[in-house]
Amino acid sequence: MKQRYLSKRFLSAVAMAFGLLLGSVSAQAAEESALMTSGASVRDQASLQRGAKLFFNYCVGCHSLKYVRYSRIAEDLNLSEQDVMQNLNFTGGKFDDQVISHMPADSATKWFGKAPPDLSLEVSAKGEDWVYTYLNSFYLDPHSPIGWNNTVLPNAAMPFPLAELQGLQTAVMKPGTTDVVEKLEISHPGTMTPAQYQQSMRDLTSFLEYASEPAALQRAHYGIWVVLFLAFFTLLAYVLNKEYWKDVH
């Protein structure tokens, strides 16, 4: 009787755990389905170069990439030291320095409520689709202290530095609330068309994906040689095995 009772409890626990797992997976799938597909690729070197230009022109004033060095960016993106120091280094750092924003943390906290986060691991933490959708989802919000809001990260403390490129987006709110009930629309065009802006955000997302794991580029390069070695070794082992056993009856 006791054994039957324990078996029922065990089955109930398994069923509950399975249900929670399915619920978690369903919730995650629903959240991911609301995100835009970035199409970012760290294997597109031209995209990485364009993304680097965007980051250093619009983001590095507030955000650091403390796990990446200027020299590593030059090596991985096929840029010369002169290219990097003249066109990407606006903080006064040396070629072998880490990419550190010069915005004082105390001033940033005073202006935005908290210091802007380092973006070295942003894509690793949240995914490239999340970052890409976030960059496409800023809109004007008169109720926000900074005048901007974001549908992916509501009440984000970040003003929108890319507004001159995308233009000004507006949203229709549910009466009496700040909930967005319709998709965002461009009310005042920027210097880029919507297609151009989305491509630029794809480039920026690709660069941030690269910054999250610079070794991924080398791993992909070495991976080809590893696969070729394994294929050759398999063929060699097959020939040796056949030669060794040919006289065994």
Side-chain angles (χ1 to χ4, degrees), residues 33-80:
S33 66
L35 299 177
M36 304 167 66
T37 301
S38 70
S41 174
V42 295
R43 297 180 181 176
D44 186 343
Q45 191 171 86
S47 177
L48 292 178
Q49 292 174 350
R50 294 192 299 267
K53 182 178 179 181
L54 284 166
F55 178 84
F56 285 102
N57 277 278
Y58 291 95
C59 307
V60 78
C62 298
H63 298 282
S64 299
L65 294 175
K66 64 183 180 181
Y67 298 124
V68 184
R69 298 181 185 275
Y70 291 104
S71 54
R72 181 62 185 268
I73 293 173
E75 178 183 354
D76 290 340
L77 273 59
N78 195 27
L79 299 171
S80 68

Side-chain angles (χ1 to χ4, degrees), residues 197-220:
Y197 179 77
Q198 289 180 5
Q199 179 59 55
S200 293
M201 294 307 98
R202 187 170 298 114
D203 296 337
L204 180 54
T205 303
S206 295
F207 176 72
L208 290 175
E209 182 180 2
Y210 152 77
S212 292
E213 190 182 3
L217 295 179
Q218 293 180 343
R219 187 170 64 245

Side-chain angles (χ1 to χ4, degrees), residues 47-223:
S47 177
L48 292 178
Q49 292 174 350
R50 294 192 299 267
K53 182 178 179 181
L54 284 166
F55 178 84
F56 285 102
N57 277 278
Y58 291 95
C59 307
V60 78
C62 298
H63 298 282
S64 299
L65 294 175
K66 64 183 180 181
Y67 298 124
V68 184
R69 298 181 185 275
Y70 291 104
S71 54
R72 181 62 185 268
I73 293 173
E75 178 183 354
D76 290 340
L77 273 59
N78 195 27
L79 299 171
S80 68
E81 180 176 350
Q82 183 178 4
D83 289 335
V84 170
M85 299 304 286
Q86 289 186 355
N87 302 317
L88 300 182
N89 185 355
F90 305 125
T91 62
K94 297 180 180 179
F95 186 58
D96 289 324
D97 284 351
Q98 299 161 298
V99 179
I100 303 296
S101 171
H102 281 188
M103 175 178 284
D106 53 347
S107 298
T109 303
K110 178 180 179 181
W111 298 332
F112 306 124
K114 60 180 180 179
D118 179 88
L119 298 183
S120 301
L121 303 177
E122 190 72 7
V123 170
S124 292
K126 298 179 179 177
E128 63 270 18
D129 289 347
W130 189 96
V131 172
Y132 176 74
T133 307
Y134 174 75
L135 293 170
N136 279 278
S137 300
F138 278 90
Y139 64 93
L140 290 171
D141 184 359
H143 303 288
S144 170
I146 58 175
W148 292 96
N149 211 326
N150 191 287
T151 57
V152 176
L153 186 62
N155 302 317
M158 171 180 155
F160 187 38
L162 301 167
E164 66 169 319
L165 303 181
Q166 184 185 33
L168 306 180
Q169 286 196 134
T170 55
V172 177
M173 308 289 184
K174 186 181 296 185
T177 71
T178 58
D179 297 334
V180 178
V181 296
E182 291 187 17
K183 68 177 184 178
L184 307 179
E185 295 182 351
I186 300 292
S187 59
H188 189 281
T191 58
M192 293 182 173
T193 65
Q196 289 172 336
Y197 179 77
Q198 289 180 5
Q199 179 59 55
S200 293
M201 294 307 98
R202 187 170 298 114
D203 296 337
L204 180 54
T205 303
S206 295
F207 176 72
L208 290 175
E209 182 180 2
Y210 152 77
S212 292
E213 190 182 3
L217 295 179
Q218 293 180 343
R219 187 170 64 245
H221 174 73
Y222 293 142

Side-chain angles (χ1 to χ4, degrees), residues 1-12:
M1 187 74 177
K2 183 177 181 181
Q3 184 178 3
R4 184 181 300 176
Y5 174 72
L6 292 176
S7 298
K8 287 184 177 180
R9 290 194 62 183
F10 175 74
L11 290 174
S12 298

